[in-house]
């Protein structure tokens, strides 16, 4: 009970610092966190839309820091497809992201256009637009006494936003850069393309990966993603995965200074893949949680477009 009360107070203080006290220079990562980012790329980079040459539908569920009251929960549904000329892609992303009294909802539409730079190399350029709903329910926190700082909920309903991304890829490697939200938003209703204290900030993502053959049965895929936001330390995920006989992915991720994750994915057939990851905290939070769980289900629709689904898909 003492830990739960401590965590509730921590959530309250963090929410107030991030969303109310504009004079405090305190900021944090505000975009959803994904351990299996390499299979959910369209959620952080709109230029990925349509690059699989088949209509793809993916569902992701993430339970972070289990065992802690008010721990983060993320649910993500994405769908994207190339158009019939295969030079353009369209995508849809719906995200529910909550932690403690904070409940955020995002709906985004993605558009990408691809240009062949060489016979094997393609550059995809993407834009996204959507609406965001932010809510901080301070009244839901019970401290056993009247606290004037927790009397008013903080809410910003249905704010428009936009994002940009680049995605360069071949059948063996990729590199991407994106800004999922270009417009900073605060809970007073103000929006700006410049950075002000206390706002929901612009995030910058850099990502890359490579696949190499080890022998006829095994392939090795290292990948990385870096997340940067003004006023907070950069976040870096380094991942090493192995693919066995084109059907079984297994590997591990190190999130710098935060967690170690173990990842396993099974390609059940040419269209359907399921995956699971477990994060173990290596920060001070390890004392207060039982790890994080993430599940994904990905399906490529065979025959929806002219080309047949390829197997396996490395990116």
């Amino acid at each position: 009970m003492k830990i739960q009360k401590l965590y509730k107070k921590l959530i309250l203080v963090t929410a107030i610092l991030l969303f109310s006290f504009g004079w405090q220079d305190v900021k944090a990562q505000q975009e959803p966190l994904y351990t299996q980012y390499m299979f959910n790329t369209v959620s952080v980079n709109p230029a990925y839309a349509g690059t699989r040459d088949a209509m793809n539908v993916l569902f992701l569920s993430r339970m972070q820091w289990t065992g802690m009251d008010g721990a983060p929960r993320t649910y993500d549904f994405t769908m994207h497809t190339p158009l019939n000329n295969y030079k353009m892609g369209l995508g849809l992303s719906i995200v529910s992201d909550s932690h403690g009294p904070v409940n955020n909802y995002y709906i985004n539409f993605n558009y990408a256009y691809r240009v062949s730079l060489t016979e094997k190399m393609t550059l995809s350029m993407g834009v996204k637009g959507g609406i965001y709903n932010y809510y901080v329910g301070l009244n839901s926190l019970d401290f056993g006494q009247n606290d004037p700082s927790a009397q008013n909920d903080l809410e910003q309903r249905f704010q428009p936003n936009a994002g940009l991304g680049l995605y360069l890829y071949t059948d063996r490697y990729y590199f991407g850069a994106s800004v999922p939200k270009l417009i900073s938003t605060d809970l007073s209703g103000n929006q700006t393309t410049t950075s002000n204290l206390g706002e929901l900030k612009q995030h910058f993502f850099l990502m890359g990966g490579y696949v190499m053959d080890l022998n006829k049965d095994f392939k090795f895929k290292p990948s990385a993603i870096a997340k940067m936001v003004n006023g907070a330390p950069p976040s870096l995920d380094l991942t090493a995965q192995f693919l066995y006989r084109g059907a079984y992915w297994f590997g591990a991720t190190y999130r710098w200074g935060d967690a170690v994750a173990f990842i396993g994915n099974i390609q059940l057939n040419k269209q359907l893949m399921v995956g699971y990851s477990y994060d173990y905290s290596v920060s001070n939070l390890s004392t207060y949680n039982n790890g994080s769980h993430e599940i994904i289900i990905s399906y490529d629709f065979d025959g929806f477009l002219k080309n047949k689904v390829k197997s396996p898909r490395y990116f």
Side-chain angles (χ1 to χ4, degrees), residues 236-240 252-261 282:
L236 176 64
D237 286 23
L238 299 175
T239 303
T253 292
Y254 177 65
R255 184 170 301 116
W256 207 269
D258 179 58
V260 174
V282 295

Side-chain angles (χ1 to χ4, degrees), residues 77-130:
F77 171 81
T78 63
M79 179 175 62
H80 65 103
T81 182
L83 299 184
N84 284 335
N85 61 9
Y86 296 98
K87 291 184 178 180
M88 293 181 286
L90 296 177
L92 169 68
S93 180
I94 303 173
V95 180
S96 169
D97 187 41
S98 63
H99 44 283
V102 181
N103 291 278
N104 300 328
Y105 300 94
Y106 317 138
I107 300 177
N108 288 297
F109 298 92
N110 304 282
Y111 170 81
Y113 183 81
R114 297 191 291 282
V115 177
S116 296
L117 301 182
T118 68
E119 184 179 350
K120 295 183 177 181
M121 183 183 297
T122 302
L123 175 64
S124 181
M125 299 164 284
V127 296
K128 68 189 300 183

Side-chain angles (χ1 to χ4, degrees), residues 55-56 62-63 75 78 98 117 121 145 167 199-200 218 230 266 268 290 296 312:
M55 182 178 179
N56 175 260
R62 180 174 177 84
M63 306 297 177
Y75 302 97
T78 63
S98 63
L117 301 182
M121 183 183 297
Q145 58 184 0
Y167 188 75
E199 292 178 332
L200 297 164
F218 283 93
N230 183 31
I266 301 177
L268 296 176
N290 300 320
I296 65 168

Side-chain angles (χ1 to χ4, degrees), residues 160-234:
N161 221 304
L164 297 172
L166 295 173
Y167 188 75
L168 180 72
Y169 66 98
T170 70
D171 61 347
R172 287 289 174 169
Y173 64 85
Y174 72 92
F175 174 80
S178 63
V179 185
K181 287 199 290 284
L182 288 172
I183 304 172
S184 298
T185 304
D186 65 29
L187 292 184
S188 66
N190 297 321
Q191 289 191 319
T192 176
T193 56
T194 60
S195 181
N196 291 325
L197 297 179
E199 292 178 332
L200 297 164
K201 296 293 178 178
Q202 298 171 351
H203 287 58
F204 302 88
F205 289 80
L206 294 174
M207 64 193 71
Y210 180 75
V211 168
M212 65 185 74
D213 295 320
L214 297 181
N215 55 45
K216 66 177 183 179
D217 290 330
F218 283 93
K219 298 184 187 299
F220 175 57
K221 186 178 82 170
S223 61
I225 185 169
K227 293 157 279 187
M228 293 159 283
V229 58
N230 183 31

